[in-house]
Amino acid sequence: MRAVRIHEFGGPEVMSVDEVPLPEPGGGEARVKLAAVGVNFIDTYHRKGLYPGRLPLLLGNEGAGNVDAVGPGVTDVTVGTQVTFALQAGAYAEYVVVPTWKLVPFPPGSL
């Protein structure tokens, strides 16, 4: 899958679109196929290294989309549920794995 990552801290020029493995959800997690992501000012802090992270760093902290896979024991969301989330790293990608307690379902057809 494609994801926007940084391999060094800096300005917008350090962002690159990389091919990375499709993440698999574990227990208590769901994988979301993203339809929309937030472009949040806090992302610039991560990119600049003001909020340091381990490189390469996949940016983005909020998004919305459809659950496309769930991990073992997950019963609070099902495949196909439309959800939104915040405060979860990795949203600048085609898919992201999110703990289900962070997911907020919303009405079908809203995206």
Side-chain angles (χ1 to χ4, degrees), residues 21-87:
L22 183 67
E24 294 297 330
E29 297 177 328
R31 184 173 63 209
V32 178
K33 182 177 186 343
L34 290 158
V37 298
V39 178
N40 193 311
F41 195 73
I42 203 83
D43 298 328
T44 64
Y45 293 164
H46 289 284
R47 188 193 72 231
K48 292 176 183 177
L50 298 173
Y51 291 174
R54 204 163 96 191
L55 298 171
L57 181 63
L58 204 160
L59 297 172
N61 287 290
E62 58 196 29
N66 293 298
V67 172
D68 105 312
V70 295
V74 170
T75 59
D76 45 346
V77 295
T78 58
V79 171
T81 304
Q82 286 189 333
V83 294
T84 188
F85 64 89
L87 301 175

Side-chain angles (χ1 to χ4, degrees), residues 2 9 14 18 24 31 44 61 77-78 82 92 95 98 100:
R2 293 176 301 166
F9 299 110
V14 302
D18 296 340
E24 294 297 330
R31 184 173 63 209
T44 64
N61 287 290
V77 295
T78 58
Q82 286 189 333
Y92 286 8
Y95 296 85
V98 182
T100 60

